[in-house]
Amino acid sequence: MDFVDYYKTLGISKAATGADIKKAYRKLARKYHPDVNPNDKESHKKFQQINEANEVLSDPEKRKKYDQHGKDWKQADQYEKARQQQGAGGYAGGFGGQDFGQYTYSSGDDSSFSDFFESLFGGAKKSRQQAKYRGQDYNAELRLSLTNAYVTHKQTLTINGKNVRITIPAGVENGQVIRLKDYGSPGVNGGPNGDLYITFSVNNDTNFKREGNNLYKDEDLDLYTALLGGEKTIETLNGKIKLKVNSETQNGTRVRLKGKGYPVYKKEGEFGDLYLTWNIKLPVNLTDRQKELFTELSKL
């Protein structure tokens, strides 16, 4: 039975802080996790070694004992046995669950930790426990059009060969990520499932510009309606509406249509606003009579 250098296992120095240990463990756990390396016995062994090193170095008491007696583990083992015989009690070898983001390691039934660990900390052979591994998270991209995302609807995704039917609330944003708990890879040895993260890619298939829950659009208006006033039929994402146009409307005038914008995410019945900017179009191909009338008008 050889001495195990836990610092070397995690690739850190003896001066490493708790944050350094956690960071190193997370990086290596992602690399050697059983979900990432199925049926790879060497990676599984490496993962167990990483967990053992983290179990010791992330616990201040265990780390202190390891630093003091690690290389002299034989003497430490004899010392512990003497203490137990004297009723001082041994050092508990059980493990608490540790969540390090994407992967979770926790105690279970019948795992294997090195003889070195068991000799140094004691008790583990009597309650050998199997590691429970949290399943790997899945990531998926779902593409929608702006028109699709305007209404709440259902879609079926195929994730790792399984169909997952989800409800997409109206108003989802481009780049927005939602999490579906337990829809990731199954856990190992009774560990919890991973999660499914869906990123939405919303393509604008309209002539509206979206900013948050508001919509913006430039709308053409003929010269005569701008001068004299009247009505203009407007297309919205929720159908056509008739809008009153005031007389003497200036080019570039912005009109706000309250509640005619984009739906607010997960707030049924709430909408942003629609902002129209009038783009007054000058008439072309004038007849001689029309030119005469404009000439007369210009002289008034």
Side-chain angles (χ1 to χ4, degrees), residues 192-262:
N193 292 350
D195 300 328
L196 169 61
Y197 291 87
I198 300 175
T199 302
F200 290 97
S201 177
V202 182
N203 174 54
N204 191 347
D205 61 338
T206 74
N207 55 4
F208 295 93
K209 178 182 178 182
R210 180 186 180 186
E211 292 185 4
N213 299 316
N214 295 326
L215 296 175
Y216 298 84
K217 182 183 179 183
D218 290 339
E219 189 73 29
D220 290 342
L221 185 66
D222 66 85
L223 177 64
Y224 308 107
T225 303
L227 287 172
L228 303 175
E231 287 185 338
K232 172 76 174 179
T233 300
I234 304 297
E235 290 276 1
T236 74
L237 289 181
N238 196 30
K240 296 181 179 181
I241 60 171
K242 282 188 176 181
L243 182 65
K244 180 181 177 181
V245 180
N246 295 326
S247 61
E248 301 179 5
T249 294
Q250 301 296 305
N251 185 56
T253 298
R254 175 176 283 187
V255 179
R256 174 189 175 211
L257 304 182
K258 188 176 181 180
K260 296 298 181 181
Y262 215 71

Side-chain angles (χ1 to χ4, degrees), residues 34 37-44:
N37 305 279
N39 303 318
D40 187 335
K41 292 183 179 179
E42 194 60 33
S43 291
H44 183 74

Side-chain angles (χ1 to χ4, degrees), residues 120-169:
L120 184 58
F121 295 106
K125 286 185 177 179
K126 295 181 180 179
S127 59
R128 298 178 70 86
Q129 298 179 323
Q130 185 176 19
K132 293 182 179 180
Y133 305 131
R134 180 179 181 274
Q136 187 178 11
D137 292 332
Y138 289 154
N139 292 278
E141 181 183 66
L142 181 57
R143 298 183 179 182
L144 301 173
S145 67
L146 197 66
T147 303
N148 291 146
Y150 184 81
V151 295
T152 297
H153 65 286
K154 296 182 182 294
Q155 284 204 27
T156 300
L157 305 178
T158 301
I159 305 296
N160 201 31
K162 295 182 179 181
N163 290 333
V164 179
R165 189 164 176 80
I166 64 172
T167 298
I168 303 173

Side-chain angles (χ1 to χ4, degrees), residues 48-118:
Q48 289 179 321
Q49 293 171 347
I50 293 165
N51 275 309
E52 181 176 315
N54 179 70
E55 171 65 24
V56 175
L57 299 183
S58 64
D59 184 311
E61 291 298 322
K62 288 190 179 80
R63 183 179 182 182
K64 180 179 179 181
K65 181 177 181 180
Y66 172 74
D67 288 341
Q68 289 177 341
H69 305 294
K71 291 186 177 180
D72 301 319
W73 58 269
K74 290 183 179 179
Q75 292 88 333
D77 184 30
Q78 295 171 357
Y79 176 72
E80 282 297 325
K81 289 179 180 178
R83 287 188 62 201
Q84 291 173 5
Q85 292 173 357
Q86 295 171 6
Y91 199 99
F95 306 97
Q98 299 180 57
D99 186 359
F100 291 94
Q102 188 174 4
Y103 304 111
T104 299
Y105 170 78
S106 63
S107 58
D109 305 317
D110 193 23
S111 84
S112 58
F113 288 87
S114 69
D115 290 338
F116 168 77
F117 177 92
E118 294 171 343

